[in-house]
Amino acid sequence: MSKIDTEAVRQFLLELQENICARLAAEDGAGEFVTDCWDRGDGGGGISRVMSEGAVFEKAGVNFSHVFGKTLPPSATAARPELAGRGYQAMGVSLVVHPKNPFVPTSHANFRMFATSGGDPVWWFGGGYDLTPYYGFIEDCEHWHRTAKEACDRLNPEYYPRFKQNCDDYFYLKHRDEHRGIGGLFFDDFNEGGFASSFALVRVLAESYIEAYLPIVARRKALVWTAEQRRFQEYRRGRYAEFNLVYDRGTLFGLQSGVGRIESILMSLPPAVRWIYDWRAEPGSEEEKLTSYYLLPKQWV
């Protein structure tokens, strides 16, 4: 493995958090991020920044963490069992944005790095971003994926189809036989080409997230919505909560490792959710079209 520069990664992630918060706050126009710094007695800590009840964003959380542990948890060694028992450090920025307007999709992004201690150093990057609409718009889906593809193509044209497929496979609720959203990019255990090359990929993709998301927010945030559409949004948010609590590796890592902070780990959960028993969409409705068309993996670009 090539020599790594964890301090450079840390500084980039802190700058990324600052930039994303500033851009989201400007788009909202009224809400403000509350900053909460926290420390761990065993080493490390983080900065959680959360906006609640903004004009556009009902909840937006952008969390930075850099923590250390003596033993990697099962979620981190599932693909690398030979690393079980090793110490580690983990750092990353994870964010989720839950808008008020049902026509504005929820978005999620995460960029992280792991490095082990004890024995030969092993490191890797992971992350990506995905979009969860409640009401579908083809031009939004195309813009989201086109921005992702253009970012990947700057480094390697093979990345987009590969990371898109990873995303489609990952953000899937097996117990529902349903995808969470329209996908995007996802990569994990990534250290190809050495540290400099891998870190360059993270920087390019991380910086493209806000360019993929904000134009969609700007197009949809002023659309008029009804109480029934809001009710449907809250119902679909239930799927989001189910995925994060059952499958999401970042959430599981935080809960299993014991090194995270519960408020930050569960920051991704939506503020208002409902589960409606055996709810069925009206055939041919926009609600029905979400699952019958938009949530089925397809080539948007």
Side-chain angles (χ1 to χ4, degrees), residues 177-241:
D177 188 23
E178 183 179 287
H179 287 82
R180 189 174 82 172
I182 65 159
L185 305 172
F186 181 78
F187 61 98
D188 205 0
D189 299 319
F190 189 91
N191 54 20
E192 298 173 14
F195 175 81
S197 178
S198 297
F199 186 24
L201 170 71
V202 170
R203 292 197 302 269
V204 168
L205 297 190
E207 290 167 355
S208 73
Y209 158 76
I210 206 73
E211 307 306 329
Y213 187 50
L214 286 190
I216 297 173
V217 176
R219 275 200 295 267
R220 308 300 169 197
K221 66 181 182 180
L223 296 180
V224 177
W225 46 273
T226 67
E228 281 304 307
Q229 289 165 335
R230 169 67 176 182
R231 181 179 173 88
F232 179 68
Q233 177 198 44
E234 292 178 348
Y235 167 70
R236 290 299 310 176
R237 281 176 171 179
R239 300 292 202 271
Y240 204 93

Side-chain angles (χ1 to χ4, degrees), residues 70-136:
K70 296 179 180 179
T71 305
L72 280 162
S75 60
T77 59
R80 296 171 180 264
E82 72 278 8
L83 299 180
R86 296 276 292 269
Y88 67 93
Q89 61 174 304
M91 69 178 82
V93 164
S94 181
L95 69 98
V96 178
V97 182
H98 293 290
K100 286 184 176 181
N101 193 319
F103 295 116
V104 182
T106 285
S107 72
H108 159 259
N110 177 277
F111 296 94
R112 59 192 180 274
M113 178 185 177
F114 283 89
T116 66
S117 58
D120 294 332
V122 177
W123 58 269
W124 65 89
F125 288 98
Y129 50 75
D130 65 288
L131 194 71
T132 305
Y134 305 99
Y135 289 89

Side-chain angles (χ1 to χ4, degrees), residues 262-275:
I262 194 65
E263 287 295 321
S264 300
I265 294 167
L266 299 181
M267 176 187 71
S268 62
L269 296 179
V273 189
R274 68 176 69 229
W275 280 267

Side-chain angles (χ1 to χ4, degrees), residues 19-151:
N19 178 60
I20 289 176
C21 287
R23 296 286 299 274
L24 289 173
E27 187 65 41
D28 187 273
E32 297 181 357
F33 279 92
V34 174
T35 300
D36 184 14
C37 299
W38 52 276
D39 293 298
R40 286 186 64 248
D42 293 337
I47 304 171
S48 297
R49 302 192 64 187
V50 180
M51 177 194 296
S52 300
E53 297 300 330
V56 176
F57 304 121
E58 187 172 7
K59 181 183 181 184
V62 187
N63 186 51
F64 166 80
S65 62
H66 185 187
V67 297
F68 303 85
K70 296 179 180 179
T71 305
L72 280 162
S75 60
T77 59
R80 296 171 180 264
E82 72 278 8
L83 299 180
R86 296 276 292 269
Y88 67 93
Q89 61 174 304
M91 69 178 82
V93 164
S94 181
L95 69 98
V96 178
V97 182
H98 293 290
K100 286 184 176 181
N101 193 319
F103 295 116
V104 182
T106 285
S107 72
H108 159 259
N110 177 277
F111 296 94
R112 59 192 180 274
M113 178 185 177
F114 283 89
T116 66
S117 58
D120 294 332
V122 177
W123 58 269
W124 65 89
F125 288 98
Y129 50 75
D130 65 288
L131 194 71
T132 305
Y134 305 99
Y135 289 89
F137 296 91
I138 289 176
E139 66 176 317
D140 293 352
C141 300
E142 291 175 343
H143 166 78
W144 178 259
H145 279 275
R146 183 170 57 250
T147 304
K149 183 178 185 302
E150 289 173 353

Side-chain angles (χ1 to χ4, degrees), residues 5-18 64 66 91 93 199 203:
D5 187 348
T6 56
E7 183 57 28
V9 177
R10 176 184 172 87
Q11 289 304 313
F12 169 75
L13 292 172
L14 287 168
E15 292 168 6
L16 177 70
Q17 181 190 40
E18 179 64 31
F64 166 80
H66 185 187
M91 69 178 82
V93 164
F199 186 24
R203 292 197 302 269

